[in-house]
Amino acid sequence: MTIQWFPGHMTRARRQIQEKLKLIDVAIELLDARLPLSSRNPMVDEILQGKPRLILLNKADLADPAVTREWIDYFKQEGFSAIAVDASSGQGVKEIPALAKELLKDKIEKQLAKGMNPRAIRALIVGIPNVGKSTLINRMAGRSIAATGDRPGITKGQQWIKVGTEMELLDTPGILWPKFEDQNVGYRLAVTGAIREEILNIEDIAFFAVKYLTQYYWEPFAERFGLEEAPEDFENPDEIVAVMEAVGRKRGCLMSGGRVDLEKASSVLLRELRAGKLGRYSLEAPY
Ligand SMILES: Nc1nc2c(ncn2[C@@H]2O[C@H](COP(=O)(O)OP(=O)(O)OP(=O)(O)O)[C@@H](O)[C@H]2O)c(=O)[nH]1
Ligand SMILES: [Mg+2]
């Protein structure tokens, strides 16, 4: 099964980015630190056409720090400049202007050699919906100028925002891509709330989350939901569903007759995961 959908405004958002490329010195690509590859637009190279690029693993406060370090190494090996940041607290954000300048060093040196005063660096901020682009911009600007919110699709159009005298940032609406070749990509995005839940079945999303998290983060998971026995075989769907039912019972998601309401249990579970109640976790690792 491939999940296919592509809201029209995303085609427009992509076109608008390409129209602005001429004005842009550097692209800042925001990925979700919990799922860097799944939150990476497979068309990004094509869209950015060789612009110097800085990769930010945002929401690093929610991700497993050891896995985030592996991801940073991974992107560096791919030849990118990459750091982990937390746009909501500002952790790591101060380093961004210096890294952008470093990427543009040759260009800036040439301008200086010609006696020109280097103008403010123009940076394009790109990434999937809800990854924290506008939050990052507000953080860098030191004021709340771009609208933010905890659901995808807050930013509707582009907006230039000045950061001191050194940088100008272009906020853009989040973009996704026409289809997910690997359905796990869709599930990872859905677990974190990057895509609307209705696109996938909520019980399938919760199943995916429980399968991964019980395997890699059993202790915090068991503690949060008061569980005792970890699944023996994570590939056995019955065992994963049994965990979901146990969570449902703990949270009182019962139907008449005492059976667990799996849909309700899934919804409660995902809400708690998204609210960070499980602590820090990553949904994919590079190695
Ligand atoms: N925990 C955590 N939350 C963050 C971070 N950055 C952003 N957020 C939250 O993520 C949500 C989305 O942030 P936005 O800045 O609106 O995201 P966006 O990428 O601009 O989204 P669109 O405009 O819809 O494309 C908000 O609730 C932010 O508070 C972060 O580093 N850590
Ligand atoms: Mg936004």
Side-chain angles (χ1 to χ4, degrees):
M1 182 188 72
T2 47
I3 303 154
Q4 190 145 12
W5 66 292
F6 199 46
H9 74 270
M10 297 210 185
T11 312
R12 199 160 57 242
R14 182 186 161 178
R15 202 185 57 233
Q16 285 170 345
I17 286 179
Q18 289 182 308
E19 286 168 2
K20 288 284 162 53
L21 272 187
K22 293 186 293 298
L23 305 174
I24 301 297
D25 300 308
V26 59
I28 298 181
E29 183 187 9
L30 263 77
L31 305 179
D32 187 317
R34 293 166 294 177
L35 56 157
L37 279 197
S38 295
S39 59
R40 183 159 218 222
N41 193 326
M43 300 185 295
V44 71
D45 292 338
E46 197 188 313
I47 294 171
L48 297 180
Q49 295 172 16
K51 281 286 165 196
R53 201 186 314 169
L54 171 60
I55 291 182
L56 302 182
L57 301 185
N58 190 39
K59 305 199 181 184
D61 56 309
L62 303 177
D64 180 335
V67 179
T68 301
R69 280 192 292 277
E70 290 180 12
W71 278 116
I72 296 288
D73 290 344
Y74 170 91
F75 286 111
K76 287 189 171 158
Q77 271 169 28
E78 299 274 299
F80 291 104
S81 177
I83 54 165
V85 299
D86 164 4
S88 46
S89 79
Q91 188 84 30
V93 170
K94 278 205 288 291
E95 292 176 51
I96 297 171
L99 288 167
K101 262 190 207 158
E102 178 65 26
L103 285 171
L104 299 170
K105 209 168 74 195
D106 293 350
K107 200 170 161 181
I108 294 172
E109 275 169 10
K110 272 188 205 147
Q111 287 174 336
L112 287 172
K114 284 192 211 156
M116 290 159 71
N117 245 345
R119 58 166 172 71
I121 294 174
R122 293 193 191 123
L124 168 75
I125 313 292
V126 283
I128 59 166
N130 207 40
V131 71
K133 298 177 294 300
S134 302
T135 305
L136 173 81
I137 288 172
N138 288 339
R139 199 30 87 176
M140 288 179 71
R143 58 196 199 277
S144 286
I145 189 161
T148 64
D150 198 12
R151 65 196 150 78
I154 295 284
T155 304
K156 307 280 188 229
Q158 296 181 342
Q159 185 186 8
W160 281 106
I161 290 155
K162 277 204 169 73
V163 171
T165 51
E166 293 211 304
M167 283 188 98
E168 286 175 37
L169 308 176
L170 183 60
D171 193 12
T172 65
I175 42 175
L176 281 162
W177 41 98
K179 69 174 184 195
F180 302 126
E181 296 292 346
D182 172 0
Q183 60 172 326
N184 291 339
V185 168
Y187 284 128
R188 290 186 195 104
L189 288 166
V191 171
T192 58
I195 59 177
R196 280 180 299 118
E197 218 151 63
E198 306 86 78
I199 292 164
L200 296 162
N201 175 300
I202 189 167
E203 290 172 34
D204 290 346
I205 305 170
F207 179 93
F208 179 89
V210 168
K211 183 174 172 191
Y212 192 87
L213 296 172
T214 52
Q215 189 164 0
Y216 294 100
Y217 299 98
W218 171 252
E219 278 179 24
F221 192 94
E223 194 174 323
R224 173 78 199 163
F225 297 108
L227 308 178
E228 261 146 42
E229 266 174 77
E232 273 175 30
D233 175 6
F234 295 97
E235 296 306 322
N236 180 354
D238 293 342
E239 290 200 52
I240 305 301
V241 172
V243 172
M244 291 168 73
E245 285 172 345
V247 168
R249 273 191 295 275
K250 291 284 179 187
R251 292 293 182 264
C253 306
L254 300 175
M255 300 189 288
S256 57
R259 284 218 346 264
V260 173
D261 181 341
L262 264 191
E263 190 180 335
K264 203 165 165 200
S266 300
S267 162
V268 168
L269 207 144
L270 290 170
R271 201 177 330 125
E272 293 188 30
L273 291 184
R274 289 181 191 142
K277 302 284 193 220
L278 196 67
R280 302 172 75 165
Y281 61 87
S282 296
L283 289 170
E284 59 186 350
Y287 310 112

